[in-house]
Amino acid sequence: MGAYLRAFGWPLGTLFLVVTVAWIAGMIVVPQLTMLERAFVYIDNSDDLTVANTRLNRLTRDIATVALDIRVLERQRDAGGSAGAAPSPTVGVPTVGVPSVSGPSTPRPSVPSVAVPNASGPSAGPATPAVPSVTIPSAALPSPGGAPAADTGQDVEARIAALGERKAALEARLAELETERDRLAEEKAAAPHYSVRNFTTMSEVHLRIFLSTLFYATLVTVIAFVVCYPVAFAVAMSRSGGKTALLLLGLVIPYTINELLRIFAWVMILEREGVLNSLLTALGVFPDGGGPRWVASNWAVFTVMIYAYVLFMVFPLYNTLDTLDRNQIDAARDLGASTFKLHTRIVIPHAKPGIAVGAIMVFMLSAGTIAAPEIVGRGLHPDWFSQVIYRRFFESANWNQGSAYSLMLLLACVIFVMLVMRLFRVSIRDIAK
């Protein structure tokens, strides 16, 4: 710390230290701890408490509807009880279902009493005691197929009384449900808060996608290394400064374009009506113009990712290979070493830190990306786990399970990093070089 402060001076050194600590705490530690807590809190959207809350909401809505009907009838009564218009049908009090009888001479049949169903309706969970049925006076019902029956003052009073009974029954049931809801809430609060159910309840499909994503990311990393190693070696071994600068400029130029635009450019190339099929059609490969839809394949996603992350593999390799003493290569060639032995015994062992850094960066980016698999052939190729996490957060609104999935992906990436460092026998100090 003393050397650090002497190097930068205490004002600049203190400012840099405070900003670094604030950044680590605010952007890494706190969000990750929040996600970690959410991952171990399981929310059951079908438990008894959720069902009770749903019933309460329905019951409250039905009570409000019945109260509105009562107010409408009371206004009719106050206006003389002969407004003639029946109140609008309600959810809790069905007023239809009267048998239709045609013909003016046919006596109007008496309307059977209408048993009002339970306002909470059929639902999952424990059985709900039925709300007492209320009989609506038949004279108050409209005549099907004809003009509404005129309401007399007595009819209106009878209907108000019936609806009042109905409202009282619903309110009694509401009080029972509130008591039950409070009891369930207390039981849930007393239950263990943390669990691993967000992990153990992962469906088989999601688990398969998770494992497939790890395999895909590993495959992208390997392909990126195969593509980038010759380029990095050629640039590092170039004895001409101008040639090296030109090669590096050629690698950097594509990255002056936004990543999304680079991905959409590949969509323009690989779609059925894209540039590639047009070129193949012009060359006579597809005379009828019916080329394949290249984006409907994981290989299209792999290609786009390699193109998007090629620099993250090239530059660590180049930085390491650039430090290789060329005399070793010349000596090996003078001693008759083949190209394969030259690379496997001299170049690659020296480039291990660069390979490790490039592999870690490409794997992490590939495993966590969502833009490429979402844009390139969306729905036409197997999902990536990042898409599943996105849906958990923003389509299912299940942030806790999304946090658990994110934590799983993070742990998988950490394990991959440790395996790579173990495989290449490099340490953090070697990577930092």
Side-chain angles (χ1 to χ4, degrees):
M1 181 60 71
Y4 165 76
L5 292 178
R6 284 194 298 272
F8 293 96
W10 70 266
L12 181 61
T14 303
L15 176 63
F16 181 74
L17 190 62
V18 169
V19 171
T20 302
V21 171
W23 173 71
I24 293 175
M27 302 300 295
I28 298 178
V29 177
V30 173
Q32 292 301 322
L33 288 178
T34 304
M35 183 172 292
L36 184 66
E37 183 190 13
R38 281 181 171 272
F40 288 96
V41 176
Y42 179 75
I43 296 178
D44 187 0
N45 292 325
S46 60
D47 61 354
D48 292 341
L49 180 59
T50 305
V51 173
N53 283 326
T54 303
R55 287 176 176 171
L56 278 172
N57 292 334
R58 292 176 181 173
L59 210 52
T60 304
R61 180 198 61 194
D62 290 349
I63 290 173
T65 305
V66 173
L68 176 63
D69 288 346
I70 292 175
R71 287 197 295 272
V72 171
L73 290 174
E74 287 174 345
R75 282 199 293 269
Q76 287 185 5
R77 180 194 58 192
D78 295 342
S82 58
S88 59
T90 66
V91 177
V93 186
T95 56
V96 295
V98 180
S100 174
V101 180
S102 61
S105 59
T106 304
R108 183 183 179 190
S110 61
V111 180
S113 300
V114 180
V116 181
N118 191 345
S120 59
S123 59
T128 305
V131 177
S133 301
V134 178
T135 302
I136 307 298
S138 60
L141 295 172
S143 175
D151 290 335
T152 64
Q154 293 181 347
D155 293 336
V156 173
E157 289 292 346
R159 295 177 64 186
I160 291 175
L163 289 174
E165 293 178 7
R166 171 66 179 164
K167 183 170 178 287
L170 292 176
E171 289 175 341
R173 178 56 187 155
L174 180 67
E176 294 175 3
L177 278 179
E178 287 177 342
T179 304
E180 182 181 356
R181 188 268 313 273
D182 295 340
R183 180 183 62 79
L184 293 172
E186 291 177 0
E187 290 180 356
K188 189 171 184 178
H193 189 58
Y194 296 106
S195 73
V196 294
R197 294 189 64 184
N198 284 326
F199 300 92
T200 57
T201 55
M202 173 184 278
S203 66
E204 183 180 349
V205 174
H206 288 175
L207 180 60
R208 189 164 59 247
I209 293 174
F210 173 69
L211 298 176
S212 300
T213 299
L214 298 182
F215 173 72
Y216 295 155
T218 305
L219 197 57
V220 169
T221 304
V222 173
I223 296 175
F225 170 72
V226 172
V227 170
C228 296
Y229 177 76
V231 177
F233 181 76
V235 175
M237 294 299 111
S238 176
R239 298 182 185 276
S240 170
K243 185 178 178 182
T244 301
L246 187 63
L247 289 172
L248 291 178
L249 183 63
L251 290 172
V252 172
I253 283 179
Y255 285 82
T256 58
I257 304 174
N258 183 278
E259 181 183 355
L260 287 179
L261 293 180
R262 294 202 303 271
I263 295 175
F264 276 111
W266 274 103
V267 173
M268 296 296 105
I269 294 172
L270 299 176
E271 266 292 352
R272 191 189 302 277
E273 302 82 10
V275 177
L276 181 59
N277 277 345
S278 300
L279 179 62
L280 294 176
T281 301
L283 295 175
V285 178
F286 303 117
D288 55 352
R293 194 173 187 183
W294 304 99
V295 293
S297 165
N298 252 340
W299 287 105
V301 182
F302 295 164
T303 303
V304 175
M305 284 189 178
I306 292 168
Y307 176 73
Y309 306 135
V310 65
L311 281 190
F312 296 98
M313 180 64 80
V314 166
F315 279 117
L317 285 173
Y318 167 73
N319 288 335
T320 308
L321 293 175
D322 194 45
T323 61
L324 176 63
D325 187 358
R326 291 177 176 80
N327 292 327
Q328 296 184 40
I329 298 176
D330 295 336
R333 285 173 176 164
D334 292 341
L335 293 174
S338 63
T339 303
F340 179 76
K341 286 186 177 179
L342 176 67
H343 285 278
T344 55
R345 296 192 178 183
I346 297 178
V347 181
I348 291 181
H350 180 80
K352 279 183 178 179
I355 298 174
V357 173
I360 290 170
M361 295 177 71
V362 173
F363 180 86
M364 300 282 274
L365 291 170
S366 303
T369 185
I370 189 172
E374 190 72 13
I375 294 174
V376 180
R378 181 182 183 184
L380 299 176
H381 53 73
D383 281 341
W384 287 56
F385 199 60
S386 54
Q387 294 175 280
V388 176
I389 293 175
Y390 176 86
R391 292 177 193 137
R392 291 288 99 184
F393 272 98
F394 301 108
E395 294 183 9
S396 301
N398 193 340
W399 282 42
N400 291 18
Q401 196 168 46
S403 299
Y405 286 8
S406 301
L407 187 61
M408 288 180 59
L409 189 59
L410 174 63
L411 291 177
C413 291
V414 171
I415 292 173
F416 177 84
V417 170
M418 297 175 67
L419 287 177
V420 168
M421 294 177 65
R422 177 79 174 175
L423 177 64
F424 290 97
R425 297 179 180 176
V426 295
S427 62
I428 297 295
R429 185 184 297 274
D430 296 328
I431 293 176
K433 291 179 180 178

